[in-house]
Amino acid sequence: MIYWYLFLAFFIPGILGYGGGPASIPLVEKEVVDRYGWMTTQEFGEVLALGNALPGPIATKMAGYIGYAEGGVLGATVALFASVAPSLILMVLLMVTLLKYKDSPKVKNITKLVRPVIAVLLGAMTLQFFMTSVDSSGTIETVILVVLSYWLLEIRKVHPALVILMALVYGALAGII
């Protein structure tokens, strides 16, 4: 039954997560953390950070990791397939229709209307991760990490993977001390 749950946990967000991996992350979190209880929010955040530090699509890396953690190699395979299956199916089925209506103003407006929804979902997830960080690390340490990360990313133009790696190293060192 775990394989069916893994399939659903990644297939449903794949269907609903318009815009790719980043847009489906809050949906995957809802399934993995809240619905099935396979991870805590903090563990999910750590998997997300690790997945962001590696090259390639985030959704497939998370599916592979979580699938393996819950069901071994077969679980990773099922979760990985479930994460790409909606896109694969929809791409094949809708390609002809989109090509036929690609210049329609209605099709162009759909994209404009969906973007704010994605922004709100990502903002809600960010706020939840921030609050979890405040609870586990403290307000001052969290604010310092947020400000430092912002400075590195936006002012110094450091690659996001390096900022994530620095945060992982800091977290490991803070955990040892």
Side-chain angles (χ1 to χ4, degrees):
M1 202 62 170
I2 187 68
Y3 303 115
W4 176 246
Y5 293 148
L6 281 168
F7 181 84
L8 290 177
F10 290 96
F11 186 78
I12 293 169
I15 290 172
L16 301 174
Y18 178 82
S24 66
I25 290 170
L27 303 172
V28 171
E29 180 192 15
K30 185 74 172 166
E31 296 290 317
V32 170
V33 174
D34 297 336
R35 184 171 186 184
Y36 296 110
W38 294 328
M39 297 181 157
T40 65
T41 301
Q42 182 174 351
E43 290 169 333
F44 185 83
E46 291 169 2
V47 170
L48 178 62
L50 180 62
N52 274 322
L54 300 172
I58 184 71
T60 54
K61 291 180 283 189
M62 291 180 66
Y65 178 84
I66 295 167
Y68 184 79
E70 295 302 315
V73 174
L74 182 58
T77 304
V78 168
L80 184 61
F81 174 74
S83 71
V84 298
S87 297
L88 181 65
I89 293 166
L90 289 174
M91 196 170 23
V92 170
L93 293 177
L94 298 176
M95 187 172 67
V96 174
T97 306
L98 286 176
L99 288 175
K100 185 176 180 181
Y101 297 107
K102 70 180 179 180
D103 295 324
S104 166
K106 291 181 181 178
V107 172
K108 291 179 180 180
N109 283 335
I110 289 173
T111 304
K112 290 179 186 175
L113 295 174
V114 170
R115 286 183 185 159
V117 174
I118 293 170
V120 168
L121 286 172
L122 290 172
M125 183 184 68
T126 302
L127 181 61
Q128 185 177 11
F129 283 158
F130 182 82
M131 297 310 292
T132 302
S133 180
V134 167
D135 290 343
S136 63
S137 300
T139 304
I140 294 172
E141 190 171 9
T142 300
V143 170
I144 289 171
L145 285 172
V146 167
V147 169
L148 183 61
S149 297
Y150 179 82
W151 180 76
L152 287 169
L153 290 168
E154 297 299 323
I155 308 298
R156 299 287 301 173
K157 302 295 185 199
V158 175
H159 192 279
L162 293 175
V163 175
I164 292 168
L165 182 62
M166 287 186 255
L168 287 171
V169 169
Y170 173 77
L173 293 175
I176 294 173
I177 296 175

